[in-house]
Amino acid sequence: MAFIAACAARFGHITWDLAASAENTKAPRFFSKAEDTFTRLWGALSGTLYLNPEFADLDPYMAK
């Protein structure tokens, strides 16, 4: 959690976790696999966004 605390100290409270589950989210609001983060307009979200994508499939996240 030191990394998350450092991010929050530098960028502000994390508002959105763009790829998470209820068990691992780092923010009060998040997109799960079922909510398909790739169809969301990340730029329209307010607050500080956090993304720690699945390591097995980085390409779609990099493209977005």
Side-chain angles (χ1 to χ4, degrees), residues 7-39:
C7 287
R10 171 65 175 89
F11 301 107
H13 177 74
I14 297 170
T15 310
W16 285 93
D17 193 332
L18 300 175
S21 68
E23 294 78 32
N24 69 8
T25 188
K26 305 300 185 240
R29 302 171 93 181
F30 65 94
F31 294 128
S32 67
K33 275 190 175 186
E35 294 168 309
D36 192 5
T37 193
F38 299 113
T39 63

Side-chain angles (χ1 to χ4, degrees), residues 44-60:
L45 301 173
S46 62
T48 302
L49 312 181
Y50 176 79
L51 175 63
N52 184 20
E54 303 172 55
F55 292 111
D57 194 12
L58 287 177
D59 291 339

